[in-house]
Amino acid sequence: MRRKLAAGNWKMNGSIAALEMIDQLSQAHGDAGCEILLCPPAPFLIPAREKASSGPVAIGAQTCHAATAGAHTGDISASMIAETGATHVIVGHSERRESYGETDAEVQAKAKAGQNAGLVAIVCLGESLEQREAGEALPVIKAQLKGSVPAGSTGADLVVAYEPIWAIGTGKIPTMAEIAQVHATLRADLKDLLGDAGNDVRLLYGGSVKPGNAADIFALPDVDGALVGGASLKAADFSPIIQALDAS
Ligand code: PGA
């Protein structure tokens, strides 16, 4: 059984004070059956871990460098992230693929670095609006998966997040049939790439997940949770999403 995962990506938002939300989530979801993850900006990883202590909220980072150490001013290695007590790292978010030109090969190297440091790598992929409108969504996603997932990954060290770029922060989402089709394709391809382990890798949907659409999305086969941006910034929004996942 794949344990469901509600992951929040704060992006470049939040503050030390806003970490108070971890207390609220811990109180509200102490007995949650699903896993809860918050990925705040890197300077907040240590205070976030302190707040989360032994509660139900795990902490993750939003990216890492592929190298273990060296002359990479401003970058953070996966082992540094692990040292903070964080357990996950998002890699290949479309905002990083777009802003920093991260390629599939770089994303794969970052994911591998995360796994080598003992972190769960959350590999993001998804098509642009132009690609979807041109009928290319599936081939694009399949190629990203093949190029971005490290060989030998397992359900214990890999999560894949399908995030159509045009759905991120826009309030638009694909139809339920489109999400189901992509997730079924990803599942089949993960099994081709990783064998039986491909069955254990959690598949998240991301892009404008809100309290109002979460239950419908979570009812789809092969949707094992969500990667949530805007709605993960406030407990009032993230909590009902966690509840919907727990109930699914
Ligand atoms: P959103 O972002 O929930 O604000 O659309 C999702 C993401 O980028 O992970």
Side-chain angles (χ1 to χ4, degrees), residues 9 11 90 93-95 124 163 167-171 206-210 227-232:
N9 171 15
K11 310 190 179 184
I90 298 170
H93 190 282
S94 61
E95 286 153 16
C124 302
E163 299 203 302
I168 294 175
T170 58
S208 295
V209 176
K210 307 284 175 213
L227 182 54
V228 184
S232 73

Side-chain angles (χ1 to χ4, degrees), residues 127-216:
E127 82 285 0
S128 67
L129 188 58
E130 298 71 44
Q131 289 165 333
R132 175 150 291 274
E133 284 175 346
E136 289 165 2
L138 289 183
V140 164
I141 292 157
K142 287 165 78 75
Q144 285 179 326
L145 185 79
K146 197 157 175 244
S148 308
V149 163
S153 295
T154 70
D157 65 12
L158 176 72
V159 171
V160 172
Y162 167 53
E163 299 203 302
I165 297 170
W166 51 274
I168 294 175
T170 58
K172 292 183 199 149
I173 59 168
T175 65
M176 295 301 128
E178 285 166 341
I179 297 175
Q181 184 190 36
V182 171
H183 280 239
T185 302
L186 289 171
R187 177 67 63 211
D189 285 12
L190 278 170
K191 286 194 233 172
D192 284 348
L193 283 172
L194 305 174
D196 285 348
N199 222 6
D200 303 329
V201 174
R202 275 135 344 140
L203 285 175
L204 310 184
Y205 168 78
S208 295
V209 176
K210 307 284 175 213
N213 59 24
D216 287 345

